[in-house]
Amino acid sequence: HVKRHSFPTRRSSDLTTARLLALMLLGSALGCAREDIAPAPAQAIADPGVGAIRVQAGRARLGRVDRELTTTGMSAAWREANIRAGVGGRVLELDVDNGDVVALGDPLLRVDASRQRLAVSGANARVDALEQDLAFAESEYARNRALFDKGSLAKAQLDTAQLAVDRASAAIEGARIELGSARRSTRDTKIEAPIAGIVTRRSVDLGDTIGAGAPLLDLVDLTKIRVHVGLAGAEIGRLDEAAPASLRVEDLGGEMFSASFAAASPSADPMTGLFDVEYHLDNPEGRIRAGMVVTATLPLRSAAERVVVPRSALTRRGGELVVFELVVEPDLPKAREGREIRVARVRAIRTGSYGVDE
């Protein structure tokens, strides 16, 4: 039960120049909208009497309250490449430095390939020798087969000749694999850009001796930017994925950009309980860099039509949100004299969305 307080007010004819404070809605959530400024009264209002409180009144109505969700996120590069050495050796050529812009396939550095070339030569020689062994084994099998067909050779001797052919074939296949690996190692001594981008970190110098797997260069592609924000599950469900988001990049003096929805993580971060949501935006001039702080204003789906009142009409009594509801009291003494008497009664309410109505 809500404690009720009554306040005598003026007749409706005296309230034509005032806006209402609030009207209560029953059975649905209450929306709150921005309050307009009431016009000045055309004439002085008479004193309503001792104990009366003069109020500004407004009319509750149906409407929609549009909402936007504002959160903080972080920018990330469109693509990144962490380049490591495929083979070991001494760095003979270094064609780029930090901050250089490279295109796909541009040369970055070259490692001494002398050991790899020797490995290729050795593998080639082994393949040649094994090919000769295979040719001899095949000729021996053909000769033994002819003797076996004439009945001049035992089956066991023919099987031995076949086994020699199989072993020579397997050996040459292994040698050819080794040759391919040696040739691949030779190609790995020349490092080319796997993506177009900017060199962000050079970890080697000309003349350094490196091992296989050593970090060499980092490249980033900033032609587009990914923005990651963390949202609660209920917030993701209300996102308008078709509408663009507004992004304010704090590190660029608050400059505004528009971004499109890309994806939402299917699982929450176990540490924060938030879902990662990703937005994309074009960055042709490369002004936005990875790791910049972004304030994102994300659009929400249109709200259902509800009863809305000015936010200033809400007040708190005993820990509850309430509004004052104007009602006609026909049983008051002055009402029985033919006058329309209205009183303001306290009504507890449940709020829904806050914002600016359409």
Side-chain angles (χ1 to χ4, degrees), residues 230-231 265-276:
L231 299 181
S265 173
S267 59
D269 186 304
M271 298 296 294
T272 65
L274 299 179
F275 292 82
D276 180 71

Side-chain angles (χ1 to χ4, degrees), residues 309-323:
V309 298
R311 189 180 302 187
S312 60
L314 303 181
T315 187
R316 192 171 292 278
R317 293 283 181 94
E320 291 184 308
L321 280 176
V322 300
V323 295

Side-chain angles (χ1 to χ4, degrees), residues 5 106 139 302 349 357:
H5 300 276
D106 281 355
S139 66
S302 296
I349 53 91
D357 65 305

Side-chain angles (χ1 to χ4, degrees), residues 83 91 93-100 108-109 198-208 215-219:
I83 304 172
V91 178
E93 295 180 8
L94 186 59
D95 301 311
V96 295
D97 202 349
N98 292 332
D100 288 350
L108 302 178
L109 59 85
I198 302 172
V199 179
T200 59
R201 181 183 302 169
R202 179 173 59 81
S203 303
V204 295
D205 288 313
L206 189 65
D208 285 353
L216 302 176
L217 301 163
D218 290 346
L219 299 179

